[in-house]
Amino acid sequence: MGAEGFRADLNGLRGLSVALVVAYHLQLRGAGGGFVGVDVFFVLSGYLMTKIICDGLDTQRFSYWGFVAARAARIWPALAVMVLLLFALGAWGLPPFDLVLLAEQAARALLFVSNHHYLAGAGYITHAGDTLWLLHTWSLSVEWQFYLLYPLLLMGVARLAGAGPLRHRLGFGLVLLLAMSSLALQLWHSRTQPDAAFFLLPDRAWELLAGGLAFFLRRERAPAARWGVAASHVGFLLVLGGVLLLALLRTRAVGAGALLLPVVLGTGLVLWAGHTNHPVLRHGVLQRLGLWSYSIYLWHWPLIIGLRMTDLPDAHPVPAAVLTAVAAVLLGWLSYTWVERPGRALRAAAAWRGARKAVLALLLAGGVTGVATATDGFAFRREAGDDFYRDYWDTIKPLYFPDDCGNFKKPSAQMQPCLLRKAGPARTLVIGDSHAEHLYAWFARHSPGSVDFFTAAECPPVPRLRRQQPGYDCEGYAARAWGQATSAGYETVIVSARWATAGLAGAPYCHEQDGRCVAPPSLADKQRVIRDELKAAIGAALVAGKTVVMVDGSPEARFRVPERLARELYWHGEVRSTVALATLSAQTAWLEPLFDALRGTPRFHRVSLRDVLCDTQRCRLYDSVLKRPVFFDESHFDPVWIAQQRTLFAAYLPGP
């Protein structure tokens, strides 16, 4: 780091940040705020890049292309080697469709646009996806985009202001203005477009620029030794406090918004303080993790995805987490030793020489990616037989709930019903979350009359139940949904939701009481509150003369069903995965008292698919007649399959 020399505090922050990210992705208890490890990385990167650029400009030795070449030599080789090894292992053990998905993601990762790719796709899904091999490269794409643009900004300031204090102050002022603008965009998008706020450089730039501000402030006025020690400790506590706060609030990585401020401010304070002898950050473990942090970060996520293809994480979560963490550190050390460190030596001698090798590595990885794409995932390895997955998604999209009908994360005042137009006006109303939306294909096929869907994904239709995460208006949705249910015109109301998770301990809901939102003191109290609210709402609809049909909980897998079943057919020639009925019963037992209380009530009906899917012990995930999975992800019904359940609601629907 030039005149500052090696900074153990900065390297320790690297180690801490990668440990937080790995713990978060392993879903360790208490690590719910660990996703901010990436935010710490961003601040560190902004500090270092600002220092490199400004030091070069001060000595009139800065070269834009030399800077880019040095960054390429730092980042590209380890990324390329990881991609090549994933393809090598995949060619040995994965079916072609997995390699096609890997190639699609690898192409975006190697071009450093994977943040846009995942934004346009499923978003930031970390809990169950076993096809998103390179999801974690979104942050590398953000950084690389920053590396290409940021030097141009500071070079423009240098050309405009010349040398001396004026240039430094102008640079600081411009970086501050851009950081504030980016932060404002982040806060706005966190409520209106949370996925964009998570993935895109304009929304993330404030964190990188915060590191730049820390550098400018330190260069202008570094703190005295004792104040530096104090600031370093305060900053470190802010980082840890921010992580704990996010965990306690059960905040999601997407849409965290202003809750990221303590972590970013704390990291900036540590960088400004320059206290290299911090008692925690100088610890040998954090120092080693800091040195290997980039390669550990690269490898930890593919290891998690690979293990999810087995039953080990579900059957033995603790050994699986330990195995993943140890393997990530080991592979990180190997990658650092054999890939990163030789590249650093080359960069020290000549940036362009190191960059040439980096370019060759990236071209080789890109070439293999192209071959995998052109050969349909090395499809020549596939034996003749059923390959239902090849065109699977093309059969789902035209039949599933229309994209423009969703009310996900909309303010309740902007939510609108979605009309499935058939004969006559809508006399049937479907309310609920995404587990109401996945019934759309059944009504499209079998309903004799028009149907209104008034749904909001991730909002169970429980009055006065608030989701304690940014961007949701679940209590407003529930109020409007039941208002619709009791309004004139509808004869039948269908109620469906993901009951298996709504009443569990980790569900992020509170209950509105007298203008306050109160978390029930125990899980039993929380479940009782939900039952009471549902019973009252259903009762009001029944009093209004409606027929109310409530769908009970359906089985859920802890993996994406189509991909798992396609692999089993490729590996074994048969489907083996099922879900234990006991698991489903345990997840939804809390709702049974509601059904017991309403049993025999005129015009109230319970609908269940358990008799169709389950025997006395197991629930199936594959329909051998249709040769299709029952679910298109972990828990949502395949539209072709649900449309085949002809009698599901037929007895309860009014005519056209």
Side-chain angles (χ1 to χ4, degrees):
M1 287 187 57
E4 277 191 305
F6 176 78
R7 281 188 55 174
D9 57 334
L10 192 153
N11 191 55
L13 278 175
R14 281 200 193 102
L16 175 65
S17 59
V18 78
L20 288 171
V21 171
V22 173
Y24 173 73
H25 285 155
L26 289 174
Q27 301 179 43
L28 300 184
R29 182 169 297 183
F35 60 85
V36 297
V38 171
D39 304 274
V40 175
F41 269 127
F42 282 159
V43 181
L44 295 174
S45 184
Y47 181 91
L48 289 171
M49 295 309 105
T50 306
K51 179 178 180 2
I52 291 169
I53 297 167
C54 287
D55 286 352
L57 290 172
D58 287 344
T59 58
Q60 298 184 343
R61 294 179 179 176
F62 182 77
S63 161
Y64 176 80
W65 293 112
F67 174 84
V68 172
R71 304 283 70 73
R74 167 78 176 91
I75 293 173
W76 292 3
L79 174 63
V81 167
M82 180 197 68
V83 169
L84 288 169
L85 286 175
L86 287 179
F87 274 116
L89 294 170
W92 170 67
L94 291 178
F97 83 86
D98 267 319
L99 291 187
V100 170
L101 293 174
L102 174 59
E104 181 182 73
Q105 296 168 66
R108 274 69 175 187
L110 295 171
L111 291 171
F112 295 95
V113 293
S114 61
N115 56 331
H116 292 274
H117 173 69
Y118 292 114
L119 173 62
Y124 190 63
I125 299 176
T126 63
H127 59 282
D130 57 6
T131 59
L132 303 177
W133 287 97
L134 301 176
L135 175 62
H136 61 318
T137 64
W138 73 268
S139 63
L140 301 183
S141 295
V142 168
E143 288 208 47
W144 186 257
Q145 293 157 21
F146 179 78
Y147 295 161
L148 293 179
L149 296 174
Y150 189 52
L152 299 175
L153 172 70
L154 296 182
M155 290 169 68
V157 170
R159 178 165 294 185
L160 180 66
L166 177 61
R167 188 183 77 201
H168 299 162
R169 289 170 188 154
L170 182 60
F172 174 81
L174 186 57
V175 169
L176 177 61
L177 178 63
L178 290 174
M180 292 175 64
S181 301
S182 174
L183 175 58
L185 185 65
Q186 161 81 207
L187 297 177
W188 178 46
H189 277 168
S190 291
R191 298 199 63 84
T192 60
Q193 301 178 52
D195 286 316
F198 183 87
F199 279 113
L200 297 184
L201 173 62
D203 300 80
R204 288 289 190 166
W206 71 278
E207 297 173 318
L208 292 141
L209 295 171
L213 293 174
F215 169 78
F216 280 117
L217 290 171
R218 179 167 175 77
R219 182 173 64 176
E220 189 71 21
R221 183 169 295 180
R226 61 173 181 159
W227 292 111
V229 171
S232 180
H233 287 299
V234 170
F236 181 72
L237 290 175
L238 274 173
V239 172
L240 291 187
V243 173
L244 292 174
L245 177 65
L246 291 164
L248 289 172
L249 295 178
R250 301 184 186 277
T251 304
R252 290 185 174 186
V254 177
L259 293 175
L260 299 175
L261 282 166
V263 172
V264 173
L265 177 60
T267 306
L269 268 177
V270 173
L271 294 174
W272 173 73
H275 176 46
T276 61
N277 203 29
H278 191 284
V280 177
L281 295 177
R282 71 177 181 183
H283 192 278
V285 172
L286 286 182
Q287 289 298 305
R288 289 295 177 184
L289 291 178
L291 287 176
W292 309 334
S293 58
Y294 174 51
S295 286
I296 292 174
Y297 182 77
L298 283 178
W299 276 105
H300 86 282
W301 183 248
L303 287 169
I304 290 173
I305 295 295
L307 269 186
R308 283 182 182 171
M309 293 183 176
T310 74
D311 292 325
L312 183 62
D314 295 331
H316 306 287
V318 174
V322 172
L323 176 63
T324 303
V326 171
V329 172
L330 177 61
L331 287 170
W333 168 67
L334 290 172
S335 176
Y336 171 80
T337 302
W338 296 101
V339 181
E340 281 193 74
R341 193 160 61 183
R344 288 184 178 184
L346 285 170
R347 290 199 308 279
W352 282 106
R353 184 182 173 196
R356 285 199 299 271
K357 292 183 178 294
V359 168
L360 289 175
L362 206 70
L363 288 175
L364 180 58
V368 173
T369 299
V371 171
T373 302
T375 60
D376 197 21
F378 308 140
F380 51 83
R381 301 170 301 125
R382 182 171 54 216
E383 296 180 2
D386 183 25
D387 181 27
F388 77 82
Y389 191 85
R390 180 180 176 86
D391 300 312
Y392 177 68
W393 293 105
D394 292 336
T395 67
I396 287 180
K397 292 176 183 177
L399 302 176
Y400 198 66
F401 191 74
D403 289 340
D404 57 358
C405 281
N407 290 310
F408 178 61
K409 285 194 172 182
K410 288 183 180 178
S412 58
Q414 298 178 15
M415 295 180 181
Q416 296 294 329
C418 176
L419 175 63
L420 174 59
R421 187 175 296 281
K422 289 198 170 183
R427 295 160 61 196
T428 298
L429 174 69
V430 180
I431 63 174
D433 56 18
S434 61
H435 277 220
E437 295 172 356
H438 71 178
L439 302 173
Y440 185 88
W442 188 93
F443 287 93
R445 173 76 65 85
H446 300 292
S447 176
S450 298
V451 180
D452 271 345
F453 278 76
F454 189 55
T455 61
E458 299 189 1
C459 285
V462 181
R464 300 198 295 169
L465 196 68
R466 177 184 298 176
R467 192 175 186 110
Q468 296 174 290
Q469 292 168 326
Y472 292 92
D473 186 8
C474 291
E475 70 275 22
Y477 161 71
R480 284 201 59 194
W482 285 105
Q484 289 277 117
T486 55
S487 63
Y490 298 116
E491 296 182 27
T492 300
V493 179
I494 311 291
V495 185
S496 183
R498 194 177 182 183
W499 307 119
T501 58
L504 296 185
Y509 301 109
C510 60
H511 183 231
E512 285 195 344
Q513 299 176 11
D514 301 323
R516 298 180 301 114
C517 207
V518 178
S522 69
L523 178 58
D525 288 321
K526 175 182 179 180
Q527 294 168 346
R528 176 186 52 76
V529 164
I530 295 176
R531 290 195 300 266
D532 290 347
E533 291 286 1
L534 282 172
K535 184 178 179 182
I538 291 169
L542 293 172
V543 168
K546 316 299 182 184
T547 295
V548 179
V549 181
M550 186 168 176
V551 184
D552 69 7
S554 56
E556 295 199 11
R558 293 179 63 86
F559 46 80
R560 291 183 59 85
V561 173
E563 290 84 355
R564 172 67 69 90
L565 302 189
R567 292 184 195 110
E568 290 180 347
L569 288 169
Y570 179 78
W571 290 332
H572 313 299
E574 62 179 0
V575 168
R576 297 183 177 182
S577 292
T578 58
V579 173
L581 177 60
T583 301
L584 172 61
S585 299
Q587 290 173 329
T588 57
W590 64 273
L591 201 57
E592 292 301 321
L594 174 64
F595 290 121
D596 292 341
L598 293 170
R599 185 177 290 114
T601 302
R603 299 191 313 281
F604 176 80
H605 306 279
R606 174 182 184 175
V607 163
S608 178
L609 283 160
R610 298 186 193 191
D611 292 341
V612 177
L613 290 173
C614 309
D615 56 25
T616 57
Q617 292 186 315
R618 311 294 299 181
C619 300
R620 62 193 175 98
L621 301 173
Y622 182 69
D623 190 308
S624 58
V625 176
L626 294 175
K627 296 187 181 301
R628 295 183 70 87
V630 173
F631 304 95
F632 74 80
D633 55 8
E634 307 97 312
S635 64
H636 295 91
F637 290 127
D638 174 279
V640 174
W641 184 86
I642 193 65
Q644 295 297 315
Q645 314 312 308
R646 295 180 178 83
T647 62
L648 189 60
F649 300 107
Y652 315 115
L653 300 187

